[in-house]
Amino acid sequence: MNERDALRALAVDLPHAGDDAAVVDDTVITTDMLHERTDFPPGTSRYTAGWRAVGASLSDVAAMGAAATAAVAVYADADFDEADLDRFVAGAVDVCDAVDASYVGGDLDTHAEFTTASTAIGTVTDAGPVTRSGAAPGDALCVTGEWGRSAAALRLFERGADSHPTAADASPSPVERANELFRFTPRVADGLALASHATAMMDSSDGLARSLHQLGEASGVGFALDRDAVPVHPAVDEVSDGPTERFELAAHFGEDFELVCTVPEPEVDRVASRCPGTLVRVGSVVAAEDGITADGEPLPDRGYTHGTE
């Protein structure tokens, strides 16, 4: 059973399972677990791991259109190296600072491999939480940021394992660049700007294509995606071989932690001007029977799947 099938099974008793965070009164709360084997390629620094792990939970807060308040994390490893632990906490603190939240502690444990679990909380605005279920035909399909940065980072981590820089080479190594790409900024500020406009929203941890299938299922709609409108991170061009692979890395790899949302057509320009980052219209919401397409062709439900390698 994969994660989506597990969520469908849980929804029998937990009808709100499947949104990016749980909502209790005006508080949103979310939790994530990441493992060295499946989530942190060789070369990932503990600073990057702390940033990325806590950032993943903060991204879920952003997807609900909530203000981030605080985060905690579990740090588990075969043994405790003081320098590694300090670097992990520094990354967690810095990503919280980036979205005006506080890192307030956590827990330590031993484990066969480096593993971290993070929890973030936030506060909804007067507009209330934004869920995945409100999209309607005629809405515009929009995304934040640039796509494919995590895919590019993975390719650079792989290159770094085979590279042997010389002392005279002052340029960043592939591993240094990969770590930088892995340290995304959660789109909390953009989520807040979208809170009173978006009809549906989620973060893109599973990839753009899979996110559209998840949004479509939750809202009972389809999507018509314009491939050329998807903003692709420049690093993807360095590691991809032509336009087909470029789109594959941008749309199907996942783990970019951008926002995917639907906005009433007349409000797109206004809300885009209010987003501190970038908000780009990449398609339209269509009737469910029209399916989920890219340039008129079916868009496969393929992306990151939790619990698999």
Side-chain angles (χ1 to χ4, degrees):
M1 179 183 289
N2 62 32
E3 183 192 29
R4 289 177 67 186
D5 289 337
L7 284 172
R8 291 187 186 105
L10 288 171
V12 174
D13 298 312
L14 301 172
H16 297 292
D19 274 318
D20 289 81
V23 183
V24 182
D25 297 327
D26 62 351
T27 298
V28 299
I29 183 168
T30 183
T31 190
D32 294 276
M33 181 179 289
L34 302 178
H35 302 273
E36 185 167 33
R37 181 168 52 92
T38 55
D39 298 293
F40 301 121
T44 305
S45 70
R46 284 293 193 265
Y47 177 83
T48 296
W51 180 296
R52 191 169 178 84
V54 173
S57 291
L58 292 169
S59 181
D60 286 334
V61 172
M64 302 298 290
T69 304
V72 297
V74 174
Y75 181 100
D77 208 343
D79 54 53
F80 298 125
D81 180 278
E82 183 177 357
D84 281 348
L85 180 57
D86 286 346
R87 293 185 188 105
F88 177 90
V89 171
V93 168
D94 285 351
V95 73
C96 284
D97 286 348
V99 296
D100 296 326
S102 298
Y103 183 72
V104 294
D107 191 24
L108 299 174
D109 201 356
T110 55
H111 197 275
E113 64 170 329
F114 170 57
T115 299
T116 178
S118 57
T119 297
I121 61 173
T123 305
V124 300
T125 69
D126 291 341
V130 185
T131 68
R132 301 180 181 186
S133 58
D139 286 347
L141 171 64
C142 301
V143 300
T144 61
E146 295 175 316
W147 295 69
R149 63 183 294 152
S150 288
L154 184 61
R155 295 283 177 91
L156 289 169
F157 276 125
E158 292 169 349
R159 287 184 186 177
D162 298 325
S163 66
H164 303 282
T166 65
D169 186 0
S171 60
S173 70
V175 167
E176 289 172 331
R177 293 179 60 230
N179 274 281
E180 182 179 354
L181 288 169
F182 249 26
R183 296 193 294 268
F184 64 93
T185 299
R187 301 299 185 184
V188 173
D190 297 292
L192 287 169
L194 285 157
S196 59
H197 300 272
T199 54
M201 186 157 62
M202 66 180 292
D203 95 331
S204 67
S205 56
D206 295 341
L208 177 57
R210 179 148 291 168
S211 294
L212 295 183
H213 281 270
Q214 291 169 330
L215 273 181
E217 180 178 345
S219 290
V221 298
F223 293 100
L225 178 70
D226 177 357
R227 290 169 59 117
D228 290 339
V230 177
V232 180
H233 195 283
V236 175
D237 292 320
E238 301 175 32
V239 301
S240 61
D241 184 18
T244 299
E245 187 177 31
R246 182 178 186 268
F247 183 75
E248 176 72 23
L249 296 180
H252 293 287
F253 183 86
E255 298 289 278
D256 283 326
F257 300 100
E258 295 292 350
L259 298 180
V260 184
C261 62
T262 57
V263 178
E265 189 72 48
E267 299 181 37
V268 173
D269 290 341
R270 179 171 56 168
V271 70
S273 70
R274 294 179 178 178
C275 285
T278 59
L279 185 74
V280 177
R281 187 185 191 281
V282 295
S284 301
V285 184
V286 297
E289 55 265 29
D290 293 330
I292 296 172
T293 62
D295 293 350
E297 298 294 326
L299 181 67
D301 181 5
R302 189 173 68 251
Y304 184 82
T305 300
H306 297 271
T308 64
E309 296 183 61

